[in-house]
Amino acid sequence: MFYREAGQFKTSYGADQAVFPILQDRVFIALWLAIGFILVPLVSTEYLFRAIFIPFLIMSLAALGLNLLVGYCGQLSLGTGGFMAVGAYAAYNLSVRIPGLNPLVAFLLAGGVTTVVGIVFGIPSLRIRGYYLAVATLAAQFFLDWVFSRVAWFTNNSPSGSITAPPITLFSLTFETPVKKYLLCLAILVLFAVVAKNIVRGRIGRVWMATRDMDVAAEIIGIRPMYAKLSAFAVSSFFIGVAGALWASVHLGSWEPLAFDINRSFSILFMVIIGGLSSILGSLLGAAFITLLPLLLNQLPQWFGIAISTAMISHLESMIFGALIVFFLIVEPLGLARLWHIGKEKLRLWPFPY
Amino acid sequence: MEKFFSLKILVLGAAAAGALLAAAQTFAQANEQFVPALVYRSGPYAPNGVPWANGYSDYLTLVNERDGGINGVKIVFEECETGYSTDRGVECYERLKGKGPTGAAVFSPLSTGITYALTEKAPVDKIPLITMGYGRSESVDGSVFAWNFPLLGTYWTAADVIIQYIGQINGGLDKLKGKKIALVYHDSPYGKEPIPLLNERAKRHGFELLTIPVTHPGVEQKAAWLQVRQNRPDYVLLWGWGVMNSTAIKEAVAVNYPRDHMIGVWWAGAEPDVLPAGEDAKGYNSIALQHSAGQIAVHADILKNVYDKGKGAGKREEVGHVLYNRGMLNAMLVVESIRTAQGKYGRKPMTGEQVRWGIENLNLDQNRIKQLGFAGMLQPLKVSCNDHEGVRHARIHQWDGAKWKFVSDWIEGDNTVLRPMVDEAAKKYAKEKNITPRDCTKA
């Protein structure tokens, strides 16, 4: 009932190819945008912005980037943390070394730098694939980690290797309050999500998916694997680089290489897998699951007034979180996005499902 | 539709959370001082984090039980588990900073990484940070770092005292010429912090400095100790934390490096560091952050008022361990800062801004230290706008296989070496962040 399409006739190719062909979807999207941009800033507390929304938005962007590579192009990567670090350090160095550079430009340029690095580390994907590629990208993670903690130039010769981001000023607007930072991240995420959606449903996306499904067959029908794979690495790295720059400059403010260690790579890969491979929505759901659930589990006992020791809470948090991951993957190996799709199918037929 | 579905869950969760938070806040009593505690009782550093957290919590309980709070203002404290990870630490900070009738009094981040992250946030939220024996070394300069208080010593002070000690046992700093000193360090801002000072000292006295990093969490150090074996340095300084320390001692045994030529920083000189290494740790030295292990007057009070009433946070037999004492000392400094602030602003719960004034005017003389029951554990300390460290004395203690014993007298960090470095680093920071330093003559 809710998704009944009766009466919605498409009279042009354009209408048929719209991102959201169904009216209900468009309404809901508008509603969510309104909630995200208007309602949330009005009602949220500082804690929610700084500890929940901003990390969630930035991680969603990173997961989105990785999903383009792993989900849509089938190139398994474990170097996400390293690429995020490239974005973070590039943004820092650009703004420190070019005075007066607009931070937004710095973020985009940082994405550009990450693109170049991503392509370089994507070259092995032309020869190897699957698990072997995962190990090759792992090398990227270790190498980049090493570079940023060893080469003092990248940290502007900071003695401890920890650096702080300069304040973010855009057109004489200073982004120092949590609300402004939140809106900045949300705007960037929405923009990138639209871009990603349009890439994956267009020619490039089809090229990626053909490569993912059967690269030999794709090559036979005229797809150049080099172009497909390297473009996936490039676009994905761009997204991840911007996410890294935001994570460092907007969320942490001050960071060390440990903020982008191998655990970051793993957790983003888990977001993609749990959220749902090759799904834009899945990236966001996965990011919410991985970043927010532990915080929720950590605070639940207190909300219900159950007195447990701090150590016990954090052990319980790890156990329940782990168990939930296993549970979700058994119940729905295709991820949270798939659950949403099933729900949508059911709503379409409601109240007479078959 | 797709993109924002997750926001639905979020907003619902957020609304629920907000409602509950609001409900929790109405329960808060007016005459209460909220003191947050960022601790780690789980994760790779838990063996060291747990005794610290117990000491911190026990002392605050003691003040409530014995004195009925600080001048009648009851302390409410809440722990938040960081697991020693920076992003969780920041989340904890955001969660706790607004609690209680006046917000969080002061944060003790208990991690160099978290300290770096919070250094940006503290001035905005107007909550001071006490980083007792860790944190940014240049934050001694209170004119730039108004909200950071590295009380009792920074890593530069620690490194300076250790070098002076090595000079003493060799018969003078000039005897260090041509010697080799290795720094085996945790590869993080914490471990790298002493390097600038050691470089400066190496330049002055002509010794050679080898820096050997060990990656987090530090269980794999074979390569590092192979380097030690090849180079045979005269002394090894150990800048480790958690399991890294006991591993280092075991590796030293494996490469046959004498333990009595190893000197750890004060985070590498507690029971969890030496006990796992057993007999091999005998003769291992470390600098002591004023205190060592052992029980003094205040412990008797804690046992009587806290443990006898069944309110202790840890095990009775662990009261008086090195890290327990450190947590306790940290809590005492927090309490005395609030008390000092109350002296100016009245006997009521203090805001972070008022507590900041309290720390900056903290003055514990020998008499007051004795009154508090800390005699012998602490040197007189006086904090000022210009000097956020308060006191720079430390001693070296040695593990004799069963307990820690002091092998040196008090050594003071040499301010003629330290201060120019502090000033220079602070000036650089101020320039990067567009901070106009306060005029300390007027503060």
Side-chain angles (χ1 to χ4, degrees):
Chain A
M1 186 175 106
F2 298 107
Y3 271 89
R4 190 170 293 153
E5 293 167 61
Q8 297 186 32
F9 301 110
K10 316 280 187 316
T11 50
S12 66
Y13 284 115
D16 203 32
Q17 289 174 350
V19 180
F20 301 107
I22 311 172
L23 175 72
Q24 288 91 328
D25 275 350
R26 287 196 294 273
V27 171
F28 271 120
I29 275 292
L31 206 64
W32 283 121
L33 284 176
I35 288 175
F37 278 103
I38 301 164
L39 189 69
V40 171
L42 286 179
V43 299
S44 284
T45 62
E46 194 178 350
Y47 170 73
L48 289 174
F49 281 126
R50 291 202 186 209
I52 305 279
F53 289 130
I54 293 175
F56 159 70
L57 292 172
I58 300 173
M59 276 304 142
S60 298
L61 183 58
L64 191 58
L66 187 66
N67 214 339
L68 294 178
L69 185 65
V70 178
Y72 287 95
C73 195
Q75 308 297 309
L76 202 52
S77 166
L78 283 175
T80 324
F83 295 136
M84 278 181 82
V86 173
Y89 284 93
Y92 169 76
N93 277 299
L94 285 166
S95 33
V96 166
R97 288 169 210 286
I98 309 172
L101 183 69
N102 188 320
L104 213 52
V105 178
F107 292 157
L108 293 178
L109 285 176
V113 172
T114 318
T115 305
V116 175
V117 177
I119 290 176
V120 170
F121 283 101
I123 290 173
S125 69
L126 304 178
R127 282 294 180 92
I128 52 181
R129 59 185 182 218
Y131 304 122
Y132 302 94
L133 181 64
V135 176
T137 50
L138 195 62
Q141 168 72 42
F142 289 138
F143 173 74
L144 293 169
D145 248 5
W146 176 84
V147 165
F148 292 124
S149 60
R150 285 287 159 273
V151 183
W153 185 83
F154 288 109
T155 58
N156 201 10
N157 297 312
S158 152
S160 63
S162 178
I163 50 179
T164 49
I168 302 167
T169 322
L170 288 182
F171 314 114
S172 72
L173 247 175
T174 311
F175 283 79
E176 79 287 342
T177 64
V179 189
K180 286 182 188 164
K181 286 181 173 176
Y182 161 81
L183 288 174
L184 178 72
C185 292
L186 183 61
I188 291 179
L189 177 65
V190 169
L191 184 73
F192 275 71
V194 171
V195 170
K197 183 75 190 173
N198 281 303
I199 289 177
V200 296
R201 69 199 197 102
R203 188 179 60 85
I204 302 174
R206 280 163 209 284
V207 164
W208 288 350
M209 285 184 266
T211 313
R212 171 193 67 192
D213 291 340
M214 185 70 197
D215 56 351
V216 178
E219 205 170 342
I220 289 170
I221 60 168
I223 289 167
R224 280 174 297 151
M226 186 174 101
Y227 168 77
K229 289 174 177 177
L230 289 188
S231 62
F233 264 98
V235 176
S236 156
S237 302
F238 186 81
F239 277 51
I240 292 169
V242 173
L246 289 174
W247 186 255
S249 315
V250 178
H251 178 52
L252 292 178
S254 167
W255 72 98
E256 54 189 289
L258 204 62
F260 301 104
D261 69 346
I262 181 79
N263 291 324
R264 187 68 64 207
S265 303
F266 285 136
S267 73
I268 294 171
L269 188 62
F270 298 158
M271 285 172 201
V272 171
I273 292 172
I274 288 172
L277 288 161
S278 56
S279 156
I280 306 279
L281 169 72
S283 311
L284 307 198
L285 293 180
F289 188 90
I290 298 275
T291 51
L292 307 186
L293 197 65
L295 299 182
L296 188 73
L297 290 173
N298 192 271
Q299 296 182 50
L300 269 183
Q302 214 203 349
W303 290 347
F304 293 107
I306 307 166
I308 319 179
S309 77
T310 320
M312 194 61 193
I313 292 175
S314 82
H315 294 318
L316 280 177
E317 173 200 318
S318 311
M319 284 190 280
I320 298 174
F321 183 59
L324 279 175
I325 290 179
V326 175
F327 173 78
F328 264 118
L329 290 181
I330 290 173
V331 172
E332 187 48 80
L334 296 175
L336 297 169
R338 180 70 196 153
L339 287 178
W340 167 242
H341 273 283
I342 293 170
K344 207 163 127 177
E345 290 298 315
K346 289 207 187 298
L347 283 178
R348 219 172 251 213
L349 301 167
W350 194 86
F352 302 116
Y354 49 82
Chain B
M1 177 63 234
E2 296 187 1
K3 262 176 287 181
F4 290 91
F5 175 70
S6 51
L7 270 177
K8 185 198 252 168
I9 305 170
L10 255 179
V11 171
L12 282 177
L20 282 160
L21 274 176
Q25 265 158 7
T26 48
F27 286 123
Q29 294 292 311
N31 205 27
E32 280 178 348
Q33 181 78 54
F34 181 71
V35 177
L38 303 190
V39 300
Y40 37 99
R41 291 176 180 273
S42 68
Y45 301 101
N48 300 57
V50 170
W52 189 95
N54 290 342
Y56 195 82
S57 138
D58 281 352
Y59 188 80
L60 296 178
T61 314
L62 171 74
V63 172
N64 277 342
E65 291 290 321
R66 184 189 59 188
D67 315 333
I70 312 165
N71 290 325
V73 179
K74 208 139 178 99
I75 302 170
V76 191
F77 80 103
E78 185 179 326
E79 288 188 349
C80 185
E81 172 76 24
T82 67
Y84 200 65
S85 92
T86 302
D87 47 349
R88 283 304 284 268
V90 171
E91 190 268 330
C92 280
Y93 169 83
E94 296 293 345
R95 196 195 300 179
L96 297 181
K97 74 179 180 196
K99 287 211 172 174
T102 52
V106 47
F107 275 92
S108 300
L110 195 57
S111 141
T112 305
I114 300 175
T115 305
Y116 269 81
L118 296 190
T119 299
E120 310 301 307
K121 296 176 189 280
V124 182
D125 298 319
K126 306 216 177 300
I127 300 173
L129 305 173
I130 290 185
T131 59
M132 192 184 103
Y134 53 94
R136 305 182 76 117
S137 298
E138 65 266 41
S139 62
V140 169
D141 186 348
S143 65
V144 174
F145 294 89
W147 298 86
N148 290 44
F149 293 89
L151 299 177
L152 304 193
T154 66
Y155 291 129
W156 289 356
T157 308
D160 193 69
V161 169
I162 294 175
I163 295 296
Q164 285 190 51
Y165 170 71
I166 294 175
Q168 274 182 13
I169 52 180
N170 281 287
L173 282 166
D174 51 320
K175 298 283 194 305
L176 293 182
K177 200 169 178 67
K179 288 218 184 308
K180 253 193 241 175
I181 295 178
L183 173 72
V184 175
Y185 66 96
H186 190 266
D187 198 3
S188 66
Y190 153 60
K192 287 180 193 164
E193 196 69 28
I195 295 175
L197 181 114
L198 291 172
N199 274 330
E200 172 71 23
R201 279 282 188 186
K203 216 162 52 197
R204 282 185 188 218
H205 310 301
F207 62 82
E208 190 191 333
L209 179 70
L210 298 167
T211 50
I212 305 172
V214 171
T215 46
H216 154 96
V219 276
E220 280 169 46
Q221 333 183 356
K222 283 264 182 295
W225 287 91
L226 216 57
Q227 266 177 281
V228 171
R229 186 161 120 182
Q230 277 167 358
N231 292 298
R232 280 283 144 193
D234 297 279
Y235 292 92
V236 169
L237 310 190
L238 183 63
W239 233 262
W241 185 222
V243 69
M244 174 181 164
N245 296 328
S246 52
T247 312
I249 295 171
K250 286 181 211 153
E251 294 292 342
V253 176
V255 301
N256 205 10
Y257 189 84
R259 258 74 67 214
D260 54 358
H261 283 238
M262 287 170 71
I263 305 170
V265 69
W266 42 58
W267 299 103
E271 287 80 3
D273 307 322
V274 285
L275 286 176
E279 193 60 14
D280 294 333
K282 213 166 158 175
Y284 170 74
N285 303 292
S286 112
I287 187 171
L289 181 75
Q290 309 252 343
H291 64 92
S292 178
Q295 298 198 350
I296 48 168
V298 65
H299 293 97
D301 277 3
I302 287 183
L303 290 175
K304 194 174 115 219
N305 292 297
V306 181
Y307 280 83
D308 287 351
K309 290 184 187 167
K311 292 187 173 170
K315 292 195 194 114
R316 197 184 174 96
E317 59 271 22
E318 282 170 10
V319 171
H321 279 194
V322 173
L323 289 164
Y324 179 94
N325 285 351
R326 187 159 312 157
M328 185 185 76
L329 200 56
N330 200 140
M332 185 275 275
L333 292 171
V334 168
V335 169
E336 290 316 304
S337 304
I338 295 168
R339 203 190 302 279
T340 310
Q342 283 181 347
K344 175 172 170 160
Y345 298 102
R347 300 184 166 190
K348 52 177 202 246
M350 295 286 106
T351 64
E353 203 165 5
Q354 291 163 336
V355 175
R356 197 203 76 79
W357 185 91
I359 311 173
E360 196 156 84
N361 291 280
L362 195 61
N363 186 3
L364 299 178
D365 58 11
Q366 209 60 270
N367 251 336
R368 182 67 190 144
I369 290 170
K370 196 152 172 248
Q371 258 177 5
L372 290 167
F374 281 84
M377 196 177 259
L378 192 65
Q379 286 286 292
L381 121 120
K382 189 173 181 342
V383 187
S384 67
C385 164
N386 193 33
D387 180 8
H388 272 197
E389 194 176 10
V391 55
R392 281 172 264 289
H393 288 80
R395 289 174 287 187
I396 307 291
H397 62 181
Q398 192 174 55
W399 180 251
D400 70 358
K403 61 178 191 305
W404 292 102
K405 64 170 202 287
F406 285 109
V407 294
S408 88
D409 204 354
W410 291 104
I411 301 172
E412 188 178 7
D414 186 350
N415 232 354
T416 57
V417 181
L418 291 165
R419 195 67 208 197
M421 293 180 61
V422 165
D423 288 341
E424 192 193 337
K427 208 193 285 167
K428 188 179 162 211
Y429 180 84
K431 198 170 149 242
E432 255 177 44
K433 308 294 289 185
N434 295 328
I435 297 171
T436 321
R438 288 184 297 159
D439 185 357
C440 274
T441 52
K442 286 180 197 150

